[in-house]
Amino acid sequence: MGNHHMGNYEEILVRKHLKRTKARVMIMKVLDKSLPMTAGEVYEAVRGKDTRLSLSTVYRNCEALAERGLLLRSTMLDDGLTRYEYAQGTPVHHAICLSCHKIFPVDVELEKGYERYMDREYGFEAVEPRVEIYGYCKDCRASGKDKAYKEKMGL
């Protein structure tokens, strides 16, 4: 990994015509190596490195980066919070545990030609293929938490 990344983030910001601020570089760095995080979680992660940063600054910067496509936004969980992830170029699909809210990347393929199908069947132009699969992780299944959750939801 090394630290070749720092300059790399700055170049990306320049290419997107965004000011290269320390906050933006730190946010990108944190999210690059992580699963989707809320602005609050990003703030916790960068606060140690720069105590002057406020939560609202982190949130505004996450939004600015998302506007330019450098971060992806998702609201996957029922807490309704927006989560940000670093746009890696190749879309990452996620499995999301409904019980403990763990999110992990999974390697699943969309069928070839799905874009044409979406367009033909629904008149929908697919531009960002991200799949979210909801279910129960092996820890929750082992401890029976999935059953408790299903009962609560009447599943």
Side-chain angles (χ1 to χ4, degrees):
M1 286 310 189
N3 60 5
H4 72 283
H5 249 48
M6 190 78 183
N8 174 357
Y9 296 123
E10 299 197 339
E11 280 156 39
I12 294 168
L13 289 167
V14 171
R15 277 208 307 273
K16 294 281 185 177
H17 309 293
L18 280 166
K19 277 220 308 283
R20 293 190 306 255
T21 65
K22 207 166 125 208
R24 286 173 183 171
V25 171
M26 284 196 304
I27 289 167
M28 289 164 74
K29 213 166 161 172
V30 163
L31 285 170
D32 194 1
K33 304 286 172 286
S34 108
L35 288 165
M37 289 166 101
T38 63
E41 289 165 338
V42 174
Y43 170 64
E44 288 301 323
V46 297
R47 195 173 57 171
K49 299 184 188 69
D50 188 345
T51 47
R52 288 172 320 220
L53 277 180
S54 68
L55 175 56
S56 65
T57 301
V58 169
Y59 174 73
R60 275 200 317 274
N61 278 295
C62 284
E63 282 296 302
L65 294 169
E67 289 300 321
R68 295 293 171 96
L70 296 177
L71 301 181
L72 303 174
R73 281 192 201 93
S74 53
T75 45
M76 298 190 263
L77 298 171
D78 52 14
D79 58 18
L81 292 172
T82 300
R83 287 175 170 73
Y84 301 93
E85 67 184 292
Y86 192 66
Q88 299 291 1
T90 51
V92 181
H93 304 309
H94 292 112
I96 298 132
C97 180
L98 290 164
S99 176
C100 70
H101 291 179
K102 256 210 303 282
I103 303 172
F104 33 101
V106 289
D107 194 5
V108 288
E109 289 290 313
L110 283 164
E111 282 180 43
K112 297 254 178 293
Y114 82 92
E115 295 104 328
R116 279 196 308 280
Y117 174 80
M118 297 281 295
D119 193 13
R120 202 173 61 236
E121 291 296 309
Y122 305 102
F124 186 85
E125 183 193 3
V127 293
E128 196 193 303
R130 280 192 295 156
V131 177
E132 295 169 0
I133 301 165
Y134 296 84
Y136 303 96
C137 71
K138 55 180 189 293
D139 297 340
C140 286
R141 290 169 68 196
S143 64
K145 286 204 191 91
D146 60 323
K147 301 202 182 33
Y149 185 89
K150 285 178 195 154
E151 272 157 34
K152 187 177 91 183
M153 291 306 183
L155 299 172

